[in-house]
Amino acid sequence: MTMAPLTKIEYTDLKEYYDYQRKIQYNRERVEKIAETYDGRIAMPEYGMLTEKEIFDIMWNKVKPSDYDDPPKDWIPSDDKLRFEWELDPKTEKQLPKPKGKKVIVAAKDKWDDMMEELNETDTSN
């Protein structure tokens, strides 16, 4: 079930709550990425090779709230219910904004083509 992102009003009403929930999520996602890098690389004698989820559970259970790092300003949570309505889904591919106005490249290319034409004409006349 996908929940709608947070509206500005919802966030403003419970700012401290949502800031803390986002802080938890940021740290959780960091531990998930670390666990992903160790998937299939850690073994315990009584269990054998540990899965990514098992590694995550072990690591996450050792993280204390006092150890949480603040998320950077440009971080966007992967959890929909903690994302602001003005934040894009981090799973979507980022796109450059569409250029506005006249294309400079075309004008420069035209000048380049004209200059090359002139050079070719002077070379053939020699």
Side-chain angles (χ1 to χ4, degrees):
M1 182 172 103
T2 304
M3 296 197 53
L6 293 170
T7 64
K8 188 134 183 131
I9 294 169
E10 289 172 323
Y11 175 66
T12 306
D13 288 346
L14 296 169
K15 183 181 183 326
E16 288 179 9
Y17 170 77
Y18 284 120
D19 284 348
Y20 190 69
Q21 294 306 310
R22 286 172 59 97
K23 184 176 191 171
I24 293 170
Q25 183 65 24
Y26 170 71
N27 286 275
R28 184 177 182 85
E29 288 180 21
R30 287 184 63 196
V31 173
E32 286 172 348
K33 284 185 181 178
I34 294 167
E36 185 180 314
T37 63
Y38 287 102
D39 185 27
R41 296 174 58 197
I42 298 176
M44 294 183 74
E46 56 279 357
Y47 301 109
M49 210 49 101
L50 296 178
T51 66
E52 182 180 325
K53 177 160 180 9
E54 291 169 325
I55 295 167
F56 169 79
D57 289 342
I58 291 167
M59 292 174 66
W60 185 244
N61 287 327
K62 293 191 180 295
V63 177
K64 295 177 266 179
S66 60
D67 295 332
Y68 292 163
D69 290 329
D70 289 327
K73 298 284 183 205
D74 61 346
W75 173 76
I76 300 173
S78 60
D79 187 347
D80 292 343
K81 67 180 183 268
L82 294 175
R83 192 174 316 131
F84 299 131
E85 63 186 350
W86 58 88
E87 293 177 319
L88 299 175
D89 185 343
K91 294 173 223 127
T92 58
E93 198 171 311
K94 291 182 175 44
Q95 296 180 353
L96 294 173
K98 300 218 184 281
K100 297 176 185 173
K102 184 179 172 184
K103 288 188 178 182
V104 176
I105 296 168
V106 173
K109 184 182 179 312
D110 289 343
K111 284 186 179 185
W112 176 259
D113 290 343
D114 291 344
M115 190 171 64
M116 292 307 289
E117 231 177 84
E118 286 177 30
L119 284 171
N120 287 334
E121 286 175 7
T122 55
D123 284 345
T124 56
S125 61
N126 287 341

